[in-house]
Amino acid sequence: MTQEKAAPNVGRRDLLKLSAVAGAALAGASLIGNRTAAAADGELSLKGKRIGISATGTDHFFDLQAYNAQIEEVKRLGGEPIAVDAGRNDGKLVSQLQTLIAQKPDAIVQILGTLSVIDPWLKKARDAGIPVLTVDVGSTHSINNTTSDNWGIGKDLALQLVSDIGGEGNIVVFNGFYGVTPCAIRYDQLVNVVKYFPKVKILEPELRDVIPNTVQDAFTQITALLNKYPEKGSIKAIWSAWDIPQLGATQALTAAGRTEIRTYGVDGSPEVLQLVADPNSPAGADVAQQPAEIGRTAIQNVAKLLAGQTLPRETYVHALIANKANVNEVTKKLGIG
């Protein structure tokens, strides 16, 4: 997708200021823990309650951290988790939602998923009188969605990218999961930022990241693309809505000796943050989420709901962009550095 629209008079200095402001705002926020929820935690209980936890998959750092944290939090609050993992299989995901609905738990929490696949079954759960909450899924059938602020994530990552390339150059985009709401929001925010910089162009056709074998597939696609664009400077950056394609792309750039190209992604997987910290690695930035805290917060919201409290439509847990300059600080705050 190529963006050719007219741009306002915004230069590299302005870009750097925007990125600095965004980074400072996030750095000033408390990363570790939704303390508001924690403050009320002592009054929460799920004693005698059965809570369905439906995961799309647990092969990714974010998914596994959120899934395990939810199971532990249900137990800690005295409830019984009914946890199921679809292993990235949409057919199995539908089947496990059907099974959960038949078991009539006191609530169901759905972690991620393609909206067109899960939404009919979330509606059936609600129609059966089962409260539905979600993690990173913007379904209209969810009473509360606990997530990162994906609008902020998408904007901050795009500003970092555009700043790093000096406001001009070709960028490669992985856009294989637009049906997954957080990916769509992050992609839309990239496009919203890029449209103001006419010298930044998204190369067409966009690439499609896949599951499984995401790293290997990204490595193969980027290697082929580098053969198509052999001149240094012909590509400035590679963007993806999550950081596993970024991992494969970074490995491909290193193998090809094209370390002048920077990569960008989202999630804060430890292996990608290590690459960002490596001054010789093409990994430019990774927005780190707090999946375990998101999982715990979702379960605390279940407890609040079952106790009669009114929940907001969305609960946001802070995320922080890690770049070459601040990655060590970010990993320490996340407790993984």
Side-chain angles (χ1 to χ4, degrees):
M1 182 179 298
T2 302
Q3 302 300 322
E4 305 250 16
K5 296 182 180 178
N9 185 20
V10 181
R12 181 186 177 104
R13 180 172 297 178
D14 300 297
L15 290 171
L16 293 171
K17 286 180 180 178
L18 286 168
S19 291
V21 168
L26 284 170
S30 172
L31 255 186
I32 308 302
N34 182 335
R35 299 308 178 197
T36 301
D41 184 31
E43 303 173 4
L44 298 177
S45 173
L46 288 173
K47 187 176 181 180
K49 304 296 185 183
R50 298 162 59 246
I51 309 301
I53 298 171
S54 170
T56 303
T58 57
D59 54 324
H60 182 231
F61 175 78
F62 179 98
D63 308 341
L64 183 60
Q65 291 282 307
Y67 181 73
N68 287 339
Q70 288 193 12
I71 294 171
E72 293 169 3
E73 189 68 1
V74 170
K75 292 178 179 177
R76 192 182 71 82
L77 295 179
E80 176 189 350
I82 310 172
V84 283
D85 172 10
R88 300 286 178 191
N89 181 307
D90 283 346
K92 185 176 179 181
L93 178 57
V94 168
S95 177
Q96 77 182 21
L97 283 170
Q98 290 175 315
T99 301
L100 282 177
I101 293 169
Q103 292 179 325
K104 299 185 183 303
D106 293 284
I108 292 176
V109 182
Q110 172 64 43
I111 307 172
L112 282 165
T114 300
L115 198 57
S116 59
V117 173
I118 62 174
D119 227 23
W121 301 100
L122 300 185
K123 181 179 185 302
K124 286 183 182 294
R126 291 295 303 274
D127 291 345
I130 303 170
V132 172
L133 289 81
T134 50
V135 167
D136 249 3
V137 182
S139 169
T140 56
H141 305 298
S142 171
I143 295 171
N144 169 270
N145 182 41
T146 302
T147 182
S148 300
D149 173 4
N150 287 296
W151 289 270
I153 285 175
K155 179 262 294 179
D156 290 341
L157 189 66
L159 286 174
Q160 180 75 57
L161 183 157
V162 174
S163 174
D164 288 350
I165 66 174
E168 61 179 296
N170 294 327
I171 63 176
V172 174
V173 169
F174 282 95
N175 187 22
F177 295 100
Y178 194 81
V180 177
T181 304
C183 297
I185 294 171
R186 296 166 195 169
Y187 173 84
D188 288 346
Q189 289 294 72
L190 172 71
V191 173
N192 287 338
V193 168
V194 166
K195 72 181 179 182
Y196 291 102
F197 301 97
K199 294 183 179 179
V200 177
K201 300 184 186 306
I202 298 176
L203 288 178
E204 294 181 330
E206 296 174 339
L207 303 183
R208 296 287 180 268
D209 39 337
V210 301
I211 295 175
N213 300 321
T214 308
V215 174
Q216 181 181 359
D217 178 79
F219 185 101
T220 301
Q221 291 196 64
I222 293 301
T223 299
L225 195 71
L226 294 177
N227 290 330
K228 186 178 179 181
Y229 294 88
E231 301 85 9
K232 289 195 174 183
S234 55
I235 297 172
K236 290 292 190 66
I238 299 170
W239 179 98
S240 54
W242 53 312
D243 61 12
I244 301 306
Q246 181 187 8
L247 180 59
T250 302
Q251 292 174 351
L253 294 175
T254 301
R258 296 291 299 275
T259 54
E260 84 281 5
I261 302 171
R262 288 285 181 261
T263 65
Y264 298 82
V266 178
D267 275 332
S269 302
E271 60 267 44
V272 178
L273 291 176
Q274 288 177 4
L275 290 173
V276 174
D278 181 352
N280 298 317
S281 170
D286 188 20
V287 180
Q289 302 188 84
Q290 297 190 78
E293 186 63 27
I294 288 173
R296 283 190 290 270
T297 301
I299 296 303
Q300 290 163 7
N301 281 341
V302 170
K304 292 176 183 177
L305 178 72
L306 297 180
Q309 296 186 34
T310 301
L311 298 177
R313 179 67 182 80
E314 300 262 334
T315 300
Y316 296 118
V317 176
H318 295 298
L320 184 61
I321 188 165
N323 55 35
K324 293 289 188 188
N326 72 354
V327 61
N328 291 330
E329 177 185 354
V330 170
T331 53
K332 287 180 181 177
K333 288 181 177 179
L334 292 171
I336 58 177

